[in-house]
Amino acid sequence: MSWAELSRLRLRARNGGAGAAVTTERVPTLDAYIAAAKGRLMIVYDVKDGSQRETFAHIEKAGAADEAIFFYECVDQMLARAIAPFRDRVVTIPIMFGKDGPLAPAVARCPSNPAGWAHVKWSDGDWIRDVAADQAHHPVRLWTATMFPQDNAGEDDALALKDPDAVWGAQIRAGARMIMTNQPTALMRYLRKPAGS
């Protein structure tokens, strides 16, 4: 669709769908989205379609580079090259998979800004516990995600609601400093719980 066509559309309420009420909200442009978020929150730009530099130009024009986070898959050289010209001007977090091998060598191959960060995904349940055991020798600040079971060997939000220490606690012990979740209230409740209770 062209922008002229998209700009005439209206968003539906809540989660959308044919039965949801049509709102007055329109599809925002990237510039409008950046302007609405500026000074209020950081935005993750998970851009994989070749428009990384164009996206950064919009961010820079808005003066929002210090509120931008870019992901790139550690093994994807095309993405790494695309963000290289501005990698040090935004927060840059490489995505690493358990299959990429031991975490410390992968972090050395794939730079982050600030240094020492990795967004990790794994399919082997022991991987996160192995990372926890290695943190004393090779500390890495982890960004994890618990929304989807395929990103964390099934240790996802559904399991975290039943046993938060086995999921969120295990990730924190492994070095997680950022956890993406669709259950923020439950995660905050877990984080505020006094130790040992």
Side-chain angles (χ1 to χ4, degrees), residues 121-154:
K121 299 180 181 188
W122 62 96
S123 56
D124 174 1
D126 289 330
W127 186 86
I128 195 74
R129 282 164 279 288
D130 292 342
V131 169
D134 198 39
Q135 280 287 19
H137 308 290
H138 304 286
V140 177
R141 291 180 173 173
L142 303 182
W143 179 321
T144 62
T146 56
M147 293 93 65
F148 309 112
Q150 65 270 22
D151 289 345
N152 45 51

Side-chain angles (χ1 to χ4, degrees), residues 12-41:
R12 290 186 179 269
R14 293 181 296 284
N15 293 330
V22 175
T23 71
T24 59
E25 296 291 325
R26 298 179 183 205
V27 177
T29 63
L30 178 60
D31 290 335
Y33 195 77
I34 294 169
K38 191 169 182 338
R40 299 175 59 211
L41 52 92

Side-chain angles (χ1 to χ4, degrees), residues 42-112:
M42 295 188 78
I43 299 175
V44 174
Y45 298 87
D46 196 1
V47 182
K48 297 176 183 168
D49 67 355
S51 65
Q52 293 86 353
R53 291 180 190 177
E54 181 183 359
T55 300
F56 178 71
H58 285 265
I59 295 164
E60 188 173 45
K61 179 181 167 192
D66 59 343
E67 299 172 350
I69 301 170
F70 274 76
F71 283 146
Y72 74 98
E73 290 184 10
C74 182
V75 296
D76 189 327
Q77 291 303 306
M78 188 268 310
L79 285 177
R81 283 192 301 274
I83 67 167
F86 58 86
R87 180 177 52 225
D88 295 334
R89 297 168 64 195
V90 297
V91 172
T92 307
I93 310 288
I95 301 172
M96 298 174 194
F97 298 86
K99 65 183 179 188
D100 291 337
L103 189 58
V107 169
R109 286 192 317 270
C110 303
S112 67

